[in-house]
Each structure stands twice: as C-alpha cells, then as structure tokens.
Amino acid sequence: MRIVTSLFFVLTAIASIAQDSDLPNDFLSKDFHKERRAKLRVNLPANSVAVFFANAVRNRANDVEYVYHQDPDFYYLTGYKEPDALLFCFKDSQRAANGSTYNEILFVQPRHAQREMWTGRRLGEQGTKDVLGFQQAFNNSEFSRYNVDFSKFDKILFFDFKNDVRDNPRDSSDLYDLIIQFKSKVKYSERNAASLAVEPPKNNLDTKELATQMANLRGIKTKEEIELVRKAVSISCIGQIEVMKAIKPGMSEREIQGIHEFVFKKYQAEDLGYPSIVGAGHNGCILHYIDNYKPNVTSKELILMDLGAEFHGYSADITRNIPVNGKFSPEQKLIYELVLKAQEEAMKITKPGTPRQALTDTCRAVVNRGLVELGIIKKDEKHLYFPHGVSHHIGLDVHDRGGPNLEENNTVTIEPGIYIPDNAACDKKWWGIAVRIEDDYLITKNGYEHLSKIAPRTVKEIEDMMKLPSVFDNFELPDLKKVNEKSKSGN
Ligand code: GLY
Ligand code: MN
Ligand code: MN
C-alpha cells in the first residue's frame, strides 16, 4: 500500500512537471482575473452576490462530446477552463463557520486519477488555489452543504437558466446538480423565472442586471487583453495573406479554409472564434455560410473569407474578398470599392463617443447612394443587399459584451457588405457578387488603431499580394483514388 501510494505521488509529480512545461506562459495572469473580480465587486449593488456557472459539456454523439469551451464571463473572472464549476462574488465579506471571512468562493470539479487519464488534467481545489489564486475553493460536491442564508441578500444576480443542461447520472455534483442545488437554496422556481421576464422582481433574484455589469467590465479591454486580441488579429491577418498568395482555380472552399486554419494552428491559436466562412461567388451571399463545400472554385469568382483565430480565449473577426484569378473584374471592383468607401467613411468617425449605430448609418448611406449610382437599386428603394449592422465588440466572444457607444480601449469591428444573389432584380452582370470588408480596431483616446491593417485591403494591395509566390505552391498530396486502389489491391 505504501509503495502504491508513493508511486502515485511520483506519477502525480511527474504529471504536474509535464503540465507546467507543456503550457504556454502568456495566458491572462491570475492577477488579471483577481482584479476583474475586485472591479465587479465594486460595481455590484449594495448587499448583493453575483453567481456564475461554468458552461455545460455538450454531447456531439454517443460518447463523444463537443470540444469544451468555457463560458466567457466565467473565464474572465476565474481563468478556470474546466466544466462543472460555480463562482460566487459577494459584495460584502461573509463569515465562515470557523470565523474566517471571505468575499468569493469557487466550487470546482475534483481531481480524479482515472477520469483524468481519459479526459485530461484537472486543477482540483488545491490546483485552483495554487494556479488561479483562489483562497476559497472547494470540490463541487461540497456545494450541497454550503449553507449561506441567501434570503439575507437584497439581490442575487445571475444569468437565467436555459434549461439545456444534461445530467451525467454518474456524477452527483455536475453542472446539472449544481443548478438544482442552487435553485433550491435561493428559492428559484420556474414560476419566478416567468414572472421575472415580465414584472419587476418580487424576490431578491435578478437575472437581468449581470449582463450590464459584465458588459461594462468586458467592453473596456485591459493591456493584457489588448495584447491577446492583437495576437489573434495578427494571426488571422497572416491567414488571409497566405491564402491570397496560395489560391488557385480548382481549390475547394474547404482547402482554402484549411490554409487559414493551418496558419492559426501554426501560431498556437487553440480555437476558432466562430465557424470559418469561405464562400465562392454566390455562396458569399449567405452571411454565415459555413458549409464550405464547393469542391472547386472557378477563375472568375470572388471568394468571401470571414475567419477569426481564437488565441488564449480572444477572437479576431476579419473578412477579405479575393478574385480567384488574381484580378478583380470591373463589376467586382466597383462593388468592392463601394464597400471599401463605406468602411473608410465609418472609420472617419471612429472615436470615443460615437454610437456604433452611427457607423452602420454612415455605411448604409454610402452603400445606398452607390447602389443607386450603379443602377442596382432605384432611389430610396428598400433592398436586401446590405442586411446587417457593421460593428460589434470582439474579445472573449466574437460578438463580445460591451456598450453601445465607442469608448477608449474597446476592440470592435467595422464590416460593411453588399451581397447580390443570383436572380436579384438588377442587371445579371452583378449576380453572385458578395463583398464584406471587415476589420478590427482598438479605440484610442482620440480615434482608433487599425489592428488588422496588415491584411491587404485595397484592390491594388490585394492584387499585388496575390502575385507573390506561396509556400503552398509545391504542396502536393497523393491522389486519394490511387491511394485507395493501392490499399484495396493490397500492394
Ligand atoms: N463572423 C461573424 C461576424 O462577422 O460578425
Ligand atoms: Mn463581425
Ligand atoms: Mn466576421
């Protein structure tokens, strides 16, 4: 028994050494998360507590789960990337049974040698204290015995439940159970939820205010966050540049997607901020086209590519459009330059104090005027060629929390577009042209920094970039048919 125990400790020690040396060291620091919780606490209403749940594990099929992604609010406040966890931030200090005081408490999934062997390392309560700097961290199985009197708070702030969490019957303290236990402790009932939606609260439960609180915090990026956004944006720009050099007629939409995503991975981006959009010709008219199944793009098509790497949680959101043969047709160029003009006009008013809606209004005015001049619409005609707004915050979400007016240290997009589907009510020479130009900006004291400016944006910059050789020019893989024939024949 002693031998087994010490062997266990040796193995655990080796595992944690491997864990430390395997991890990049440029994630958000524990001080960042701690300082964000402190800031939240300052902003919370009197005598309140804010409650946050980790994201659910989602089942893909049978015994395979979707890759886990932490809830961005939870990650922002804790740095914790694992499921089945619960955070309380108290406005005022609480007194524990042993007389000590605390103003935050985290419940996390426990260490479990066998499960960690299958699904990966866990921090556990001690790791949460050591790595994330929490003083009060407990295994989630402790939550059922956690006996704060929730009726004493004037407000309990949390995001309402969506009733879309599965129970893992083998785990009696998973997220599903934590939610049930929480509901019972705070006297939440589905009837409360319905009345909260239409009437002022009759109890101390508040499912509305936390969104504003978190938007106020997350919309203004700190220096550490800006560095990560900057990295995500630069990586995504390099993806665009490499595709501009590599694209050839006959490539598939998915192969183009693969080049972008290979670049993301080469630079250690863990994830995508959103599913990659690569649409050739009329496919670009589907705003969030993620099928990417066209097997070969043709020489005269314009390809709309909207992709963003997620680096250490932070997402870019960049769209470029390139002619497959390296040269814009006259019609493509006219539409492209109209969208570019709209973006340039919006950039002129991009500074603190400008409502993001004003960016949309500016772009819409330029596009509408231009479409009339090109004879694509008649004056004042309602149309669907530009059906979306042009600006949102980016950060831990691609559509990040943040306020309606631009403020210093916001990170936002400006993304006008024109989409003319086949059979549109205009000359058919315009059909199948879809253009969205999307860039990422850091709002500064007096204006903005154009974070994605290294991705060629004017017609000339794009055409010049497309003339350059590519590292993928000589990249060839064997013919799959021949490989299959060979494998069938056994030779
Ligand atoms: N890629 C999604 C968006 O542009 O908002
Ligand atoms: Mn966007
Ligand atoms: Mn986008």
Side-chain angles (χ1 to χ4, degrees), residues 16 86 136 150 267 290 292 373:
S16 60
L86 173 54
Q136 297 285 327
F150 283 99
Y267 288 103
I290 57 172
N292 304 346
E373 280 164 20

Side-chain angles (χ1 to χ4, degrees), residues 29-183:
S29 65
K30 66 180 170 193
D31 290 341
F32 166 88
H33 302 293
K34 188 172 175 194
E35 190 268 334
R36 298 286 88 192
R37 295 194 299 277
K39 194 92 203 260
L40 171 66
R41 204 170 288 121
V42 168
N43 297 347
L44 286 177
N47 190 28
S48 68
V49 54
V51 188
F52 299 85
F53 290 83
N55 244 350
V57 173
R58 305 279 176 200
N59 184 257
R60 184 170 183 266
N62 193 13
D63 56 355
V64 176
E65 320 292 10
Y66 282 105
V67 175
Y68 186 71
H69 193 286
Q70 186 56 278
D71 171 77
D73 288 317
F74 202 90
Y75 181 69
Y76 184 82
L77 293 170
T78 63
Y80 190 68
K81 299 199 199 87
E82 301 172 30
D84 301 321
L86 173 54
L87 169 71
F88 292 88
C89 276
F90 300 94
K91 175 78 177 178
D92 309 305
S93 281
Q94 305 297 302
R95 191 165 290 281
N98 66 6
S100 63
T101 57
Y102 62 96
N103 57 15
E104 55 192 24
I105 185 166
L106 183 63
F107 293 91
V108 298
Q109 63 174 356
R111 299 290 313 267
H112 191 295
Q114 202 200 358
R115 289 198 197 144
E116 287 183 56
M117 186 177 171
W118 284 92
T119 57
R121 298 177 181 108
R122 298 177 174 193
L123 281 177
E125 58 182 313
Q126 192 56 47
T128 306
K129 290 175 182 169
D130 297 344
V131 178
L132 301 179
F134 277 85
Q135 304 210 324
Q136 297 285 327
F138 297 93
N139 286 341
N140 51 19
S141 56
E142 297 291 318
F143 180 56
S144 60
R145 288 189 287 279
Y146 180 56
N147 61 359
V148 160
D149 171 12
F150 283 99
S151 69
K152 73 180 182 185
F153 295 108
D154 288 341
K155 273 193 174 184
I156 302 171
L157 285 73
F158 57 101
F159 292 107
D160 208 356
F161 302 102
K162 309 271 191 249
N163 299 326
D164 61 348
V165 177
R166 272 194 190 185
D167 189 16
N168 174 357
R170 289 178 305 160
D171 184 343
S172 58
S173 306
D174 66 357
L175 181 65
Y176 184 90
D177 302 297
L178 294 176
I179 290 173
I180 290 184
Q181 290 158 12
F182 173 78
K183 284 180 172 175

Side-chain angles (χ1 to χ4, degrees), residues 193-370:
S195 69
L196 279 175
V198 290
E199 296 166 20
K202 293 193 179 65
N203 51 32
N204 62 356
L205 306 185
D206 184 325
T207 57
K208 296 277 176 287
E209 183 171 343
L210 211 42
T212 313
Q213 293 274 351
M214 292 311 294
N216 290 343
L217 285 183
R218 282 177 52 193
I220 312 285
K221 268 56 181 182
T222 68
K223 268 201 183 120
E224 270 187 74
E225 292 182 285
I226 291 167
E227 277 319 296
L228 295 178
V229 172
R230 207 183 279 287
K231 283 184 184 165
V233 170
S234 294
I235 291 168
S236 309
C237 288
I238 295 171
Q240 296 281 357
I241 289 169
E242 290 308 316
V243 170
M244 287 180 191
K245 294 190 283 187
I247 195 166
K248 292 184 188 63
M251 274 186 174
S252 66
E253 290 175 339
R254 203 172 300 293
E255 192 176 354
I256 295 166
Q257 172 188 353
I259 295 174
H260 284 276
E261 293 180 11
F262 173 74
V263 170
F264 297 176
K265 292 279 186 275
K266 181 77 181 162
Y267 288 103
Q268 297 293 322
E270 295 91 341
D271 212 334
L272 303 170
Y274 51 95
S276 298
I277 298 165
V278 178
H282 61 178
N283 288 340
C285 294
I286 301 168
L287 300 178
H288 287 172
Y289 171 78
I290 57 172
D291 289 328
N292 304 346
Y293 53 33
K294 183 165 181 163
N296 43 28
V297 302
T298 59
S299 142
K300 294 203 169 128
E301 282 174 319
L302 198 57
I303 313 291
L304 187 154
M305 309 184 294
D306 181 348
L307 300 96
E310 185 185 293
F311 185 82
H312 293 8
Y314 285 80
S315 180
D317 188 6
I318 298 170
T319 310
R320 288 293 183 264
N321 312 259
I322 56 174
V324 175
N325 63 11
K327 188 140 185 63
F328 285 80
S329 74
E331 289 77 21
Q332 289 168 349
K333 185 164 185 259
L334 283 165
I335 298 294
Y336 188 89
E337 291 191 327
L338 178 53
V339 177
L340 188 63
K341 188 169 163 199
Q343 194 193 40
E344 294 279 348
E345 284 303 309
M347 284 160 68
K348 287 182 188 160
I349 57 164
T350 297
K351 57 176 190 287
T354 299
R356 279 183 294 113
Q357 181 61 41
L359 305 179
T360 298
D361 296 343
T362 300
C363 289
R364 200 166 291 288
V366 174
V367 165
N368 285 357
R369 213 177 314 121

Side-chain angles (χ1 to χ4, degrees), residues 274 306 317-319 390 392 394 398-399 413 415 436 438:
Y274 51 95
D306 181 348
D317 188 6
I318 298 170
T319 310
V390 305
H392 56 82
I394 54 170
V398 65
H399 296 160
T413 65
E415 48 176 311
R436 174 162 65 255
E438 178 169 27

